[in-house]
Amino acid sequence: MHRYAAYVTELIGAFFLMFTVGLSVLTGSALAPLAIGAVLMVMVYAGAHVSGGHYNPSLTLAVLVRHKLGRPDAIAYWVAQVVGAIVGALVAQWVANPGAVAAFDPDGRSLVAALVVELLFTFALAYVMLNVATSRSNPNNSFYGLAIGFTVVAGAIVAGRISGAAFNPAVTLGLTAIGALPWYLALLYLIVQLIAGFAAAAAFLALNPDEAPVRQEERETVRADSSAP
């Protein structure tokens, strides 16, 4: 039952994150970065004790590489996150009723800049999450949601006009579903966002060697030593 609760939690969190992103984009809200970071923060606080509060396939990939989540659960998380985000985007489109949606479609140097900021801020988001929410050095802390949410706020403020500030494959697909991103750009975003999640996990493990998973043979050696007279 706990597994299914975790999957539903991820779907709900991704829905409200994307619903907020969608309404912010479609209504042109001037406070979009704050609204998006705030809803992510509260959803992390609401769901972290059940699922970890990822709501982002790149973060789930980082946790998988960091060995805090099994592969079957990671796949289920990805499905829940994408479904939640696409439904959230479509509901936001229905609520806002914007008519034609102008797609964000950079080219040339602007396209390269968009990919760079998506890579860097997705990396930052995953790196922060691993350190504040999964590290043994920060157990039961009360600041993890704030740190994660404000990473998105910072990224959205400085990079919103450069890339659209998705930093999340599920959000990328949600934006594409309502026509705010073209499919070719969504594919490029997905590639760099997933690379960023993997790189963040690799950096976390390299910089925190005590957090590396214990190999099976090492566990067996420890058990053998502890049982020796």
Side-chain angles (χ1 to χ4, degrees), residues 14-15 23 29 32 64 73 85 95 99 117-118 121 129 137 145 149 164 166 190 202 209 220 228:
F15 171 89
L23 283 181
S29 173
L64 174 66
D73 284 332
V95 170
V117 297
E118 284 295 316
F121 276 106
M129 189 273 287
S137 299
L190 290 175
E220 291 173 353

Side-chain angles (χ1 to χ4, degrees), residues 15 18-24 26-27 86-98 178:
F15 171 89
M18 187 63 234
F19 181 67
T20 304
V21 171
L23 283 181
S24 297
L26 296 173
T27 62
I86 290 176
V87 173
L90 295 176
V91 173
Q93 185 178 41
W94 183 85
V95 170
N97 192 25
I178 60 174

